[in-house]
Amino acid sequence: MNREALQRVASLATNTFTEALRQRFFAFLMLLGVMLALSGILLRTFNFGTSELKFLADFGFGGVFLFGSILAVVMTVQLFFSELESRTALTLLARPVRRWEFFIGKFFGIQILLAVFIAVLIGVLGALLAMRSWELGREALRLGMPEPWFSTHGLLVFAFLQCLRLAIVSALTLFVCSFARTFLYAVVVSAMATLACQLQGIGDAALAQNKQETLLHLFVENCGRVIPDLQVFDLGAPLVLQREGLPATVVLGVIGYGLLYIPVLLLLGIWLFRDREI
Amino acid sequence: MPRPKPNPRQRTRPHLFTGRLRVAIACFLLFLWSWALDPVSLPASRWQAANQPAFQAASFEGIIGQGVLLGIFGGFRSIMADFAWLRSYIHWGRHDRASCETFMRTATALDPGNILFWTGAIDRIGYDMPRWEIDEREHGGQLQVDKAVQAQITREHVERALNLAAQGAKQHPQHASDFWMRSGHLCRLKLRNYEQAALFFKRAAEGDPPLWFASLSYVNALCELGREVEARLWLREEIKRRQARNTPDPQDILGILKERLEELEKQRFNLSLPPTL
Amino acid sequence: MPVSSAMSFLPAIEIKNLLKDYRTSLRGVKLRAVDGLSLRVPENSIFGLLGPNGSGKSTTLKILLGLVKPTVGECSVFGHPAGSIEARELVGFLPEAPYFYKHLSGYELVRFYARMSAVPTGVLEARVAETLDLVGMTTAADRRVGTYSKGMLQRIGLAQAIVHDPQLVILDEPTAGVDPLGSAAIGAVLLAMKRRGKTVVLCSHRLGQVEELCDHVAILDKGRLVLEGAIASVLARQEQHVLTVEGWSAAAYEAVKSALEAHNASLLNVEHPRISLEKLFVEKLSRNTGEKTSSFGYAHGREEQYGPLGRPETPPAAQPLPHAPAVEVSLWHKGKKPPTLPQ
């Protein structure tokens, strides 16, 4: 990989990001995510006490995951297929631009977009948690109750883990796009795959409870292995709201899982895209 | 111009690895890679299995079709549990026992790790629902319904609340004392079963971590049962145990317990029994 | 990119027995888009690739650019296998009905494509400015591409195709939807490129322009090559000659007729020579008065005059007599080998 290749990847990534930023869909999802996070402010009417922070955190985490996943799937397909359907890919790939440069450039452009999305939502959530934590803390002090607590460091680690999670989702979507023929097919298959990724842990637990030694059971048990297990990234509550936090091995394991899965998805996607006829 | 026959030697594409076969090979490689990454994700999976209890699917029987399945399958267990709890508030305001309990159980099933759901459900089932049901039976409520019937209704609801508390104590062993405390109050206030209440208070006082106010509640319960001697002896031992632990005591709990012991000692002198301190 | 001495002996494009089948259904039924095509495009020429819709032109171009793999056959660009990085470095491409990133300005778009083609950073800005000036888009360069008209899109498309100074430029319908003035301007750019030693492959349905610009043409039909050759030879009717005469009169008519009959020839037709409607349109509406050809500045300051085929012309020595306008005389030889006309 020489300097020119890196420059091309960087140019493609920047172009992809600026194109995505102008999409109304992105602004709409961002707005929805912020609104969901801010809607937690209404919870003060219920007087949950220090448990209110858990509710706020759940709303914020849910917004990041729900709207982030939709953004990752739809924008990835949109930005990839729009190049093929509008034939801007013709003018690009007729140049000395290698297929893998195009693929990786798209991926990184989408990651920048997702990072901006997560940063905004986590920023709003962090501000909300800090504000309510301060207000609830004063009340708790007055009543002689334990003070509420949340970890800013944990929130940053959580944000990074969600970046990794959504990077897996977009890498998986790009993998589907590399062989999909239509926009609809790519969106539907990618969305279902993302759903399946989230369900994998639940499915494994259910299968473990009803363990059988049949071939069918073995087949079903291993079917989910084709896709990554995204449930391992559900560490928001312990990271942000538990004083004891998480063992370093857990966090490093999850980071390693993400960093090792993403390149394989991209490599296989490039392999499939390499001989695709434009 | 004659049509040239395709010359196999001039083929530019390999026969193998085309189209769907490539996709199948790629999926197989992903399958192998997933196995290879198992050791990497194992610490996280184990930690989650140990610390994030699996949701109880059996509790969903009454609520399938409420959008819960979609929420769970979308991976929003916690937020769906929160929404379920908020909906239970709405039905609590309407005194709708069935719907309120359905959503409370949904919340505890979806997110068993949130202690607020358990303690809130116990209190509502034990204190609020008996009153609602009594009011439903007769307009005018407790003034109209027969006392025996009221007691029966109360007993049924409190028993359910006690069962829920037992489940909660199992689910949250680190907060078990809190659940025993609530159980004790339910027995004392709603069932007037001071014997059972005393047992629960004792469990809370001797649990890990021990609740200091459970100690006082246990002592009071024993006094209500007429077992002041037992209360005094137990409190004396409890104070010794706390002194032996030598833990920081900013709220002077030890002082509060000693004051209660002094009150019991004064009462003892009224009963003409030899002093032991 | 400088042309190597080895490259100067190679054809710009060489296609041998190209065959491309598309699979159209699960049952394996195939559509043969290109059927045994063999072609050579000489270097430093403007080559017209013609054919009706579905004749395989676009497929052939895509194979040359590496966007599609051939089923059978070999293609090369200046000796490099078609689709290789080395080949693509030498090629600039403007597809049919191009679509560009609407959010970029014209300048940003050309700059982006220049970076994609590894134009050195030191000359990048200058090259972009020069290219925009060449295609006449300097004033509109700061506007977003989404606001461009059809003609402007074609011109900016041409700019992105040539910004990296490729040796071979492939243009698929570059003047589709463009007015005659714009079309003539694009034609002038292509001629200028040829004068600089470039090779241009032009696919177009505007046969008048192809006839005017191209040195060689190839016609495809249903994936096969129907005809190929130099434009002058494929269009000429070998059994007839045209004389352009000035000072025509009735007496001259009788004299010529008698002379021809004496040589066993017949005078078929006498009419005035015509210029093409496109040329008339351009001459009447050209914004650059005094220019023999329409261009966006490439001919400025030059003392030579260039005709439509890019060959220098000597200025006319004498004006025709006002009472005797020029006429064309078509001759036909009856059965004998036509004489070689003096050069």
Side-chain angles (χ1 to χ4, degrees), chain A residues 160-224:
Chain A
F160 178 68
L161 290 181
Q162 295 317 296
C163 284
L164 272 181
R165 164 143 76 175
L166 295 182
I168 293 178
V169 172
S170 60
L172 185 63
T173 307
L174 273 175
F175 171 76
V176 173
C177 287
S178 65
F179 60 84
R181 293 290 159 196
T182 62
F183 182 97
L184 187 65
Y185 176 92
V187 167
V188 169
V189 171
S190 303
M192 305 230 359
T194 304
L195 208 63
C197 288
Q198 195 60 30
L199 277 181
Q200 212 190 83
I202 297 167
D204 285 348
L207 283 169
Q209 284 173 10
N210 301 308
K211 190 87 178 152
Q212 295 169 27
E213 295 300 325
T214 61
L215 207 61
L216 178 67
H217 191 93
L218 199 68
F219 175 76
V220 170
E221 201 175 3
N222 285 289
C223 255

Side-chain angles (χ1 to χ4, degrees), chain C residues 2-337:
Chain C
V3 179
S4 69
S5 55
M7 206 181 291
S8 59
F9 297 110
L10 293 166
I13 293 173
E14 185 156 20
I15 301 173
K16 288 181 187 171
N17 297 324
L18 186 66
L19 196 141
K20 175 64 186 175
D21 288 332
Y22 284 107
R23 199 172 180 177
T24 55
S25 73
L26 287 171
R27 288 180 299 161
V29 174
K30 292 178 184 176
L31 171 69
R32 184 153 286 186
V34 181
D35 191 359
L37 176 67
S38 291
L39 200 60
R40 282 168 71 100
V41 175
E43 200 198 340
N44 190 215
S45 65
I46 301 180
F47 190 96
L49 188 62
L50 311 176
N53 296 334
S55 58
K57 302 190 301 296
S58 295
T59 303
T60 304
L61 295 182
K62 285 186 177 180
I63 292 172
L64 282 171
L65 295 163
L67 300 169
V68 164
K69 289 268 195 294
T71 308
V72 173
E74 293 173 359
C75 300
S76 62
V77 174
F78 290 110
H80 300 289
S84 64
I85 290 292
E86 294 80 11
R88 282 188 272 154
E89 282 173 353
L90 301 170
V91 178
F93 176 54
L94 173 63
E96 184 182 358
Y99 182 92
F100 300 113
Y101 304 108
K102 287 184 178 175
H103 64 283
L104 296 177
S105 68
Y107 179 85
E108 288 167 346
L109 184 84
V110 177
R111 190 169 181 274
F112 169 72
Y113 282 116
R115 289 182 79 97
M116 287 297 110
S117 301
V119 172
T121 315
V123 302
L124 183 72
E125 305 294 338
R127 183 76 64 80
V128 171
E130 184 189 324
T131 307
L132 286 169
D133 184 55
L134 184 66
V135 299
M137 287 294 291
T138 307
T139 47
D142 291 330
R143 281 169 47 192
R144 281 181 42 223
V145 170
T147 63
Y148 282 178
S149 66
K150 174 73 178 167
M152 293 166 86
L153 274 175
Q154 293 291 133
R155 280 192 267 159
I156 207 73
L158 185 60
Q160 62 84 24
I162 62 175
V163 69
H164 54 295
D165 197 25
Q167 286 305 113
L168 170 66
V169 180
I170 299 176
L171 307 171
D172 197 350
E173 300 289 351
T175 55
V178 181
D179 64 66
L181 280 176
S183 180
I186 290 173
V189 172
L190 301 187
L191 289 169
M193 291 176 64
K194 186 198 162 185
R195 286 193 294 274
R196 291 173 61 200
K198 311 297 181 187
T199 309
V200 178
V201 172
L202 175 64
C203 289
S204 179
H205 291 305
R206 297 180 72 159
L207 301 181
Q209 189 177 45
V210 170
E211 185 182 338
E212 203 177 293
L213 292 174
C214 294
D215 306 317
H216 303 266
V217 289
I219 300 176
L220 303 184
D221 186 29
K222 292 176 184 161
R224 295 179 199 174
L225 183 67
V226 171
L227 182 135
E228 190 230 334
I231 195 92
S233 61
V234 299
L235 289 182
R237 287 190 179 180
Q238 298 298 327
E239 71 279 13
Q240 294 186 1
H241 289 85
V242 171
L243 301 176
T244 305
V245 177
E246 283 187 0
W248 190 251
S249 63
Y253 172 76
E254 291 302 327
V256 166
K257 191 178 168 188
S258 305
L260 288 172
E261 280 170 359
H263 286 85
N264 227 15
S266 303
L267 181 60
L268 292 176
N269 191 26
V270 177
E271 63 181 13
H272 294 288
R274 291 161 58 140
I275 63 170
S276 68
L277 178 60
E278 192 167 334
K279 205 182 270 188
L280 178 69
F281 186 94
V282 168
E283 281 178 7
K284 292 296 178 189
L285 296 182
S286 175
R287 293 180 186 89
N288 295 319
T289 57
E291 287 285 334
K292 250 195 130 175
T293 57
S294 299
S295 74
F296 286 107
Y298 202 91
H300 280 305
R302 287 181 171 259
E303 292 181 2
E304 304 132 284
Q305 298 297 317
Y306 290 92
L309 295 180
R311 288 189 286 274
E313 290 179 356
T314 55
Q319 297 294 326
L321 295 170
H323 64 277
V327 295
E328 272 187 2
V329 176
S330 298
L331 306 176
W332 181 65
H333 302 270
K334 291 183 202 172
K336 287 187 182 176
K337 185 184 167 185

Side-chain angles (χ1 to χ4, degrees), chain B residues 216-260:
Chain B
L216 286 179
S217 297
Y218 177 53
V219 165
N220 293 337
L222 285 177
C223 291
E224 281 169 345
L225 286 167
R227 288 147 61 176
E228 289 85 354
V229 175
E230 190 182 338
R232 195 175 63 250
L233 290 172
W234 184 87
L235 189 55
R236 200 173 291 155
E237 290 305 312
E238 175 67 7
I239 288 169
K240 284 181 187 169
R241 280 194 289 269
R242 283 190 176 266
Q243 283 168 335
R245 273 189 222 120
N246 201 22
T247 51
D249 189 9
Q251 292 169 297
D252 193 25
I253 296 164
L254 215 52
I256 297 169
L257 293 176
K258 282 179 181 172
E259 277 179 26
R260 185 69 181 111

Side-chain angles (χ1 to χ4, degrees), chain A residues 3-4 7-9 11-12 15 18-19 22 83 86-99 106 274-278, chain C residues 20 22 62 65-69 85 88-89 91 93 95-97 99-101 103-104 112-113 115-118 121 160-161 163-164:
Chain A
R3 198 174 150 207
E4 284 173 0
Q7 280 180 347
R8 279 193 286 266
V9 169
S11 293
L12 279 164
N15 191 52
T18 52
E19 187 182 0
R22 288 159 202 273
E83 296 267 9
S86 64
R87 295 180 299 165
T88 46
L90 288 182
T91 47
L92 266 179
L93 295 174
R95 295 180 131 71
V97 175
R98 291 171 180 83
R99 298 271 176 125
K106 283 283 158 203
R274 205 180 60 170
D275 287 335
R276 180 176 176 145
E277 297 186 341
I278 308 296
Chain C
K20 175 64 186 175
Y22 284 107
K62 285 186 177 180
L65 295 163
L67 300 169
V68 164
K69 289 268 195 294
I85 290 292
R88 282 188 272 154
E89 282 173 353
V91 178
F93 176 54
E96 184 182 358
Y99 182 92
F100 300 113
Y101 304 108
H103 64 283
L104 296 177
F112 169 72
Y113 282 116
R115 289 182 79 97
M116 287 297 110
S117 301
T121 315
Q160 62 84 24
V163 69
H164 54 295

Side-chain angles (χ1 to χ4, degrees), chain A residues 54 58 65 225 231 271 275, chain B residues 22 34 38 48 74 76 82:
Chain A
K54 171 93 173 39
D58 285 344
F65 177 64
R225 286 260 174 204
Q231 264 213 323
W271 183 57
D275 287 335
Chain B
R22 273 200 173 198
S34 172
D38 259 356
Q48 282 182 323
F76 310 117
D82 296 344

